[in-house]
């Protein structure tokens, strides 16, 4: 089997995900094409240099509908002979694109791929695709469907995570993200977004609130308490599934949950032989990939079993991992991961995460792989694990090691 390597990884700064955000006038296709062009230029890719573009996004409707990957290729400077594949594993779409590319390379199905994803949450509203898991009673009732915010609060209730725990984690995410930007830790991977005239319109993550403290978060009302306790009363649905819970402790709000943002990211994955032929040196080997299905009601626990699976299948232990990136969908998701594996916070999300900088659903999996790789190089660490929870009850993980 051929090994798969990462040669480059870039991302756009994350926009605010609102109509007043810097990226609102940029389409999903345009943002994707800019990332593809960035990878092409940085690695001097000519002609049919890559086998395919695998591109993830979670809300595949309107401008993100059809085969967005192929449209992005045609809108970019890549050769039109390169096809495109759009995929959807909700929040893990960008990671699944990278993992799929790696496994294609391993199997000998092409020398290299560009993989990643995009989500324009200011332009294509979350949930606008009318997903059956949420709206079809024949599915939603049987799976005890509740919105993700309720799921995050169930995790907090089940595993003893308090409001102060969740808020303290969010404050630290903001502090770490601000420090990372101040010290230029993202400089290697940031791809500035430009307008049609080539002028820069976004050079820095726009969502960050570096002044966040416990007092400001303490003033925020829980975001999911009303939908849980009154109409439509999702707490009752949860307690039908989990009768041992006397009540749901609603600890999450806008300040300790991931931000709704716009963004895109791409990763260049290929074999060592392909890299040698193109004069490129690999930065890391993709050692293992994994995905798993989990309980669809609590939904967001996937990083734990996905990590257990990837470690088991790769013959590794949690102590073999030097650095971790766990997507900050909600504070409780990451706190549960740390609790389950007794992982020290000094090794996890050391440059902040989606609570501070935002979670562009289809791009986040590729973003955290690139962030992990940059930090492994900066801190001279050898092995890293990236993982995400996934809507409807799934998890995904990737282990990379420097070469």
């Amino acid at each position: 089997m051929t090994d798969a390597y990462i040669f480059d990884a870039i991302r756009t700064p994350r926009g605010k995900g609102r109509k007043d955000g810097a990226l609102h006038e940029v389409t999903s296709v345009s943002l994707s094409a800019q990332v593809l062009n960035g990878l092409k230029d940085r690695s001097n890719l000519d002609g049919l240099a890559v086998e395919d573009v695998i591109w993830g996004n979670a809300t595949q409707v309107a401008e993100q509908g059809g085969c967005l990957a192929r449209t992005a290729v045609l809108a970019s400077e890549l050769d039109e002979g390169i096809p495109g594949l759009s995929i959807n594993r909700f929040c893990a779409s960008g990671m699944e694109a990278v993992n799929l590319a790696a496994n294609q390379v391993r199997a000998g199905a092409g020398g290299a791929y560009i993989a990643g994803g995009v989500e324009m949450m200011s332009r294509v509203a979350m949930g606008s695709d009318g997903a059956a898991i949420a709206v079809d009673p024949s599915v939603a009732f049987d799976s005890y469907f509740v919105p993700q915010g309720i799921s995050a609060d169930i995790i907090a209730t089940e595993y003893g995570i308090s409001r102060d725990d969740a808020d303290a984690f969010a404050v630290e995410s903001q502090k770490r993200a601000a420090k990372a930007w101040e010290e230029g830790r993202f400089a290697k991977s940031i791809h500035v977004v430009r307008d049609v005239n080539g002028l820069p319109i976004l050079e820095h993550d726009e969502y960050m609130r570096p002044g966040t403290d416990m007092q400001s978060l303490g003033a925020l009302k829980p975001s999911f308490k009303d939908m849980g306790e009154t109409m439509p009363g999702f707490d009752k649905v949860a307690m039908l599934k989990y009768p041992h819970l006397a009540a749901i402790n609603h600890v999450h709000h806008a300040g300790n949950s991931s931000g709704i943002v716009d963004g895109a990211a791409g990763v260049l994955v290929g074999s060592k032989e392909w890299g040698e032929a193109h004069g490129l040196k690999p930065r890391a080997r993709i050692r293992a990939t994994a995905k798993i299905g989990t309980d669809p009601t609590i939904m967001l626990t996937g990083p734990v079993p996905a990590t257990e699976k990837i470690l088991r299948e790769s013959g590794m232990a949690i102590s073999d991992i030097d650095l971790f990136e766990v997507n900050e969908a909600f504070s409780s998701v990451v706190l549960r991961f740390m609790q389950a594996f007794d992982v020290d916070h000094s090794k996890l999300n050391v440059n902040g995460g989606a609570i501070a900088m935002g979670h562009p659903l289809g791009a986040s999996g590729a973003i955290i792989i690139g962030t992990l790789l940059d930090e492994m190089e900066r801190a001279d660490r050898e092995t890293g694990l990236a993982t995400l929870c996934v809507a409807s009850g799934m998890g995904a993980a990737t282990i990379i090691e420097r070469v």
Side-chain angles (χ1 to χ4, degrees):
M1 180 180 290
T2 302
D3 283 333
Y5 295 86
I6 296 175
F7 290 91
D8 201 5
I10 65 174
R11 72 169 177 93
T12 67
R14 285 167 269 196
K16 287 192 294 187
R18 301 198 305 263
K19 290 185 178 180
D20 62 347
L23 298 187
H24 178 64
E25 299 305 321
V26 181
T27 68
S28 306
V29 170
S30 173
L31 198 68
S32 300
Q34 290 193 45
V35 171
L36 297 181
N37 289 340
L39 288 170
K40 176 183 183 296
D41 293 342
R42 283 165 55 120
S43 297
N44 194 28
L45 303 177
D46 290 325
L48 303 179
V50 298
E51 181 76 15
D52 202 354
V53 170
I54 307 176
W55 215 239
N57 72 278
T59 309
Q60 297 187 343
V61 68
E63 68 182 54
Q64 293 183 168
C67 185
L68 175 60
R70 174 58 176 168
T71 308
V73 169
L74 294 176
S76 76
E77 296 169 1
L78 292 176
D79 193 289
E80 67 178 15
I82 298 171
L85 171 66
S86 290
I87 65 168
N88 184 358
R89 201 185 291 280
F90 297 124
C91 305
S93 296
M95 175 176 283
E96 187 60 34
V98 174
N99 289 352
L100 179 58
N103 290 327
Q104 294 270 66
V105 170
R106 285 171 166 174
Y113 291 74
I114 293 175
V118 67
E119 206 76 34
M120 299 300 294
M121 300 181 77
S122 69
R123 297 176 58 86
V124 183
M126 183 167 49
S128 58
D129 53 351
I133 185 65
V135 303
D136 184 342
S138 68
V139 180
F141 288 177
D142 289 346
S143 64
Y144 294 88
F145 171 83
V146 298
Q148 287 190 24
I150 300 291
S151 298
D153 286 338
I154 297 171
I155 294 173
T157 305
E158 182 70 45
Y159 296 103
I161 296 166
S162 70
R163 168 72 180 256
D164 280 352
D165 294 335
D167 285 358
F169 182 84
V171 170
E172 184 64 17
S173 180
Q174 294 281 359
K175 287 172 57 179
R176 293 182 178 196
K179 182 179 180 181
W181 271 103
E182 289 166 5
E183 296 184 355
R185 296 187 183 187
F186 299 129
K188 182 181 289 187
S189 58
I190 289 294
H191 184 73
V192 174
V193 183
R194 300 181 182 275
D195 65 14
V196 293
N197 298 310
L199 299 175
I201 57 176
L202 189 62
E203 302 177 77
H204 188 284
D205 286 322
E206 189 178 27
Y207 183 81
M208 294 166 55
R209 296 178 176 86
T212 299
D213 56 24
M214 291 294 286
Q215 289 70 35
S216 61
L217 294 187
L220 297 177
K221 178 183 176 182
S223 296
F224 311 104
K225 183 179 176 69
D226 288 346
M227 72 168 65
E229 295 182 355
T230 55
M231 289 298 292
F234 283 111
D235 284 8
K236 297 294 186 183
V237 176
M239 287 186 284
L240 285 172
K241 181 75 173 284
Y242 314 112
H244 64 283
L245 299 179
I248 306 300
N249 184 19
H250 292 285
V251 305
H252 289 94
H253 49 74
N256 59 27
S257 307
S258 57
I260 294 174
V261 296
D262 302 324
V267 180
L268 178 60
V269 178
S271 67
K272 183 177 288 188
E273 293 75 18
W274 176 89
E276 291 171 350
H278 289 81
L280 299 174
K281 183 179 179 180
R283 295 172 61 190
R285 179 170 76 99
I286 297 179
R287 176 162 177 168
T289 69
K291 60 270 189 184
I292 199 165
T294 65
D295 180 338
T297 306
I298 199 168
M299 189 185 310
L300 306 175
T301 55
V304 172
T307 296
E308 291 171 340
K309 181 181 181 184
I310 200 170
L311 292 174
R312 182 174 63 251
E313 293 181 348
S314 59
M316 300 176 71
I318 201 76
S319 58
D320 295 324
I321 306 298
D322 298 319
L323 287 172
F324 299 84
E325 283 288 327
V326 183
N327 189 50
E328 295 176 1
F330 298 89
S331 285
S332 65
V333 172
V334 190
L335 290 170
R336 171 55 190 153
F337 182 92
M338 293 166 63
Q339 180 190 82
F341 295 107
D342 193 25
V343 170
D344 193 284
H345 200 180
S346 65
K347 296 182 177 181
L348 183 146
N349 296 8
V350 299
N351 295 315
I355 288 173
M357 293 174 282
H359 175 20
L361 307 177
S364 290
I367 288 173
I368 65 171
I369 289 173
T371 299
L372 178 62
L373 176 56
D374 285 348
E375 182 60 21
M376 288 166 60
E377 292 174 340
R378 188 196 72 82
D380 193 23
R381 299 293 186 265
E382 296 302 316
T383 307
L385 183 148
T387 184
L388 304 92
C389 61
V390 185
S392 77
M394 292 185 284
T398 307
I399 293 176
I400 62 175
E401 57 184 15
R402 288 174 61 204
V403 294

